[in-house]
Amino acid sequence: MLIMDLAYELHDLVRTLDRQAERMLRPLNLTYNRYLALEIVGEHPRVSGAQLARALGITEASCSALVRRLIADGLAADLAEKGSGNVRRLQLTENGELLRGNASHALGGAFDDVVRRLGFDPLRLAQTIRSIHNELKNG
């Protein structure tokens, strides 16, 4: 008899989604972490490097290297005022916004298609997942 454990199934789903996302983003020359950084910076203009590191769940040193690469690739700009020390205030460039949109479309469309094939509405499922997530964070 197969016993289903929701916590394990969700954990395994996230791992599978992460691996699939890496594969799907490769043609866009993006890693999943770089994509997530684009999403976070796009949603939170002027986010600091330290805030971005926390949101990504990586060290500030690792995030600093990621941010330097985003800036060097012309995907993000540092809007920190002169004299503000090492604090970065990040914002996506036009190229960063374009790449973010292309990557979101590639990932979202593929995952939405899988959910629809299984007979679920992607928006309703996303809302349910958001509700569960909010309850776990706040409850």
Side-chain angles (χ1 to χ4, degrees), residues 96-112:
E97 285 288 357
L98 181 62
L99 183 57
R100 174 187 175 213
N102 290 340
S104 293
H105 180 73
L107 293 178
F111 294 141
D112 285 0

Side-chain angles (χ1 to χ4, degrees), residues 13-138:
L13 173 62
V14 168
R15 289 181 48 195
T16 300
L17 288 171
D18 287 351
R19 284 191 301 271
Q20 290 293 322
E22 284 285 347
R23 183 182 57 74
M24 295 167 72
L25 292 170
R26 202 169 295 130
L28 297 173
N29 198 30
L30 274 179
T31 64
Y32 191 49
N33 257 4
R34 278 175 49 112
Y35 164 71
L36 291 176
L38 291 176
E39 282 294 330
I40 293 165
V41 173
E43 289 294 316
H44 305 280
R46 301 189 61 81
V47 65
S48 73
Q51 291 167 323
L52 180 60
R54 281 192 300 278
L56 291 171
I58 62 177
T59 66
E60 287 189 37
S62 294
C63 189
S64 182
L66 186 148
V67 166
R68 279 193 306 275
R69 175 98 189 268
L70 291 175
I71 292 171
D73 290 348
L75 301 173
D78 182 2
L79 302 180
E81 295 180 22
K82 301 292 183 214
S84 58
N86 291 332
V87 176
R88 294 184 187 259
R89 294 291 173 193
L90 302 169
Q91 182 168 316
L92 294 184
T93 63
E94 190 175 314
N95 286 340
E97 285 288 357
L98 181 62
L99 183 57
R100 174 187 175 213
N102 290 340
S104 293
H105 180 73
L107 293 178
F111 294 141
D112 285 0
D113 290 346
V114 168
V115 169
R116 280 189 197 94
R117 275 198 310 269
L118 293 171
F120 298 100
D121 175 38
L123 180 58
R124 288 192 71 192
L125 183 57
Q127 290 167 336
T128 300
I129 291 168
R130 174 60 56 104
S131 295
I132 292 168
H133 189 205
N134 286 341
E135 183 64 25
L136 288 170
K137 283 193 321 190
N138 303 322

